[in-house]
Amino acid sequence: KDLGHAIACARPCIGNSPFVVMLPDVLIDDAACDLSKDNLTEMINNFRHSHKSQVMVEAVPDNQVSNYGIVDCAGVVLNQGKATPMLAMVEKPTLKDAPSNQSVVGRYVLSHAIWDILESTPVGAGGEVQLTDAIATLMEFETVEAYSMVGKSHDCGSKVGYMLANMEYGLRHCEVKQAMTDFIISQRHSLVNAEP
């Protein structure tokens, strides 16, 4: 029944404690960044200091807004590596209904209060129990912050995202980058002349 239900099933293993959710189809790429600490470490440190749940976000182009959970931070401009309180989360809104272009990336640090909420969250978008809906309810009782990630994400939950991630990592890898570059160059003529 989707992510919210899957997380609720883990409660007997974790107990009534705060916890981290890491979605495996989202890769966090910090290769171009000089990070002294990684994003998730910073989110955990924020939670330990403030006791406020953390949701990692990243800006997406307008034409991709409807593919993601989008957060409302009251128009606050988010600087990378910083967190700010959220007012709302909306699952896959249309562009005109989206409160921002800040998408949920797939890393969460959640307080123990979410457990009871998850167990009573009704089926939502797509006939599934949405974690987004549970976090929206959590925000009625306590502050939840959006943490603006440093680096970029690769959404490997789609075929195109998976392939692009492999290409990007491959083009940086010392053993395979030359072979990949040669292949891409050899295919240039086919790509340029391909019909739309």
Side-chain angles (χ1 to χ4, degrees), residues 34-189:
D34 181 20
L35 291 179
S36 57
K37 295 181 181 175
D38 70 30
N39 289 294
L40 190 56
T41 299
E42 291 299 300
M43 292 170 69
I44 291 169
N45 287 340
N46 288 349
F47 179 83
R48 286 180 174 155
H49 176 73
S50 69
H51 304 289
K52 295 174 182 172
S53 293
Q54 306 283 306
V55 176
M56 188 183 288
V57 299
E58 175 184 34
V60 294
D62 287 350
N63 66 349
Q64 294 180 22
V65 162
S66 63
N67 297 331
Y68 299 99
I70 300 294
V71 303
D72 181 354
C73 295
V76 172
V77 176
L78 290 168
N79 295 316
Q80 289 187 344
K82 301 298 180 185
T84 193
M86 296 189 314
L87 297 180
M89 293 177 70
V90 184
E91 185 65 28
K92 299 179 181 176
T94 63
L95 180 59
K96 69 180 182 67
D97 294 330
S100 74
N101 70 337
Q102 295 292 324
S103 71
V104 176
V105 175
R107 301 291 186 272
Y108 310 81
V109 180
L110 299 171
S111 80
H112 71 280
I114 196 84
W115 289 120
D116 290 339
I117 294 169
L118 278 169
E119 290 181 356
S120 61
T121 299
V123 168
E128 300 167 336
V129 177
Q130 298 289 345
L131 177 60
T132 302
D133 294 341
I135 293 173
T137 301
L138 179 64
M139 285 189 284
E140 296 174 12
F141 303 101
E142 58 185 53
T143 301
V144 177
E145 293 184 330
Y147 171 85
S148 181
M149 66 171 287
V150 178
K152 69 182 232 178
S153 69
H154 296 283
D155 180 4
C156 296
S158 71
K159 291 175 186 174
V160 170
Y162 177 73
M163 293 174 72
L164 292 175
N166 276 279
M167 287 180 64
E168 191 160 334
Y169 279 94
L171 289 169
R172 292 198 306 250
H173 194 277
C174 61
E175 291 179 27
V176 299
K177 68 180 176 182
Q178 189 59 56
M180 288 191 70
T181 301
D182 293 345
F183 175 77
I184 291 168
I185 291 170
S186 75
Q187 297 302 308
R188 183 178 54 189
H189 179 73

